[in-house]
Amino acid sequence: MKETGSANIYPIFDRMLSREDKENLLGQHSVMVWFTGLSGSGKSTIAIALERELQKRGLLCRILDGDNIRSGINNNLGFSPEDRIENIRRIAEVSKLFIDTGIITIAAFISPNNEMREMASSIIGKDNFLEIYISTPLEECERRDVKGLYAKARKGEIKDFTGISAPFEAPAHPALSLDTSVLSIEESVNSLLELILPKVQLKE
């Protein structure tokens, strides 16, 4: 094929369909719903329940959590401070791809400090980022100890465990704060739906 000069060479992004095209195809706006909170606070439980309710309404979602991220794209990362930051950075970059594809993306990660969450928000885009604080108190999270992690942390078997031997910084201005020690899953999801549905539904 004969080259006809640089005037006929276009950047690939000029040929790719836009986020708006994808959203119109799916019939929804995309948004990042980022759950932060201590281990055992209820992040994944609420994320799963939220996904089911959104799907009932014909909305396409993708959940990202430790199970599907650390067993795959981040399986080469440990839990050092540097690796924790890289873990969140990669999650944010993957999330941005989902958002740009028109998919409502739900992330459930401890993400223990404001700097990490600010980095994620900057990568994804602040206008697309809903920070949801699962504010369940440490005492309740430790009482549940769903994975037996707090017991190990108390014995010194796990170093730098958030809430025990490593700090957790609560978000200063979350879009929503939910305490699962006083709210049921249904109540929590209903509050989330009130926040999210107006943002993801296309205008008629």
Side-chain angles (χ1 to χ4, degrees), residues 13 47 58 96 124-125 194:
F13 289 103
K96 187 174 189 298
I124 293 163
E194 287 179 12

Side-chain angles (χ1 to χ4, degrees), residues 151-166:
K152 290 181 180 180
R154 290 290 185 190
K155 293 175 185 175
E157 295 174 11
I158 301 176
K159 295 181 179 179
D160 299 322
F161 188 79
T162 305
I164 302 299
S165 51

Side-chain angles (χ1 to χ4, degrees), residues 100-128:
D100 287 344
T101 312
I103 298 170
I104 298 163
T105 309
I106 303 168
F109 296 93
I110 293 172
S111 43
N113 62 55
N114 289 315
E115 185 177 356
M116 278 186 187
R117 297 187 296 267
E118 181 63 29
M119 174 183 66
S121 175
S122 296
I123 291 170
I124 293 163
K126 295 183 188 301
D127 292 342
N128 303 315

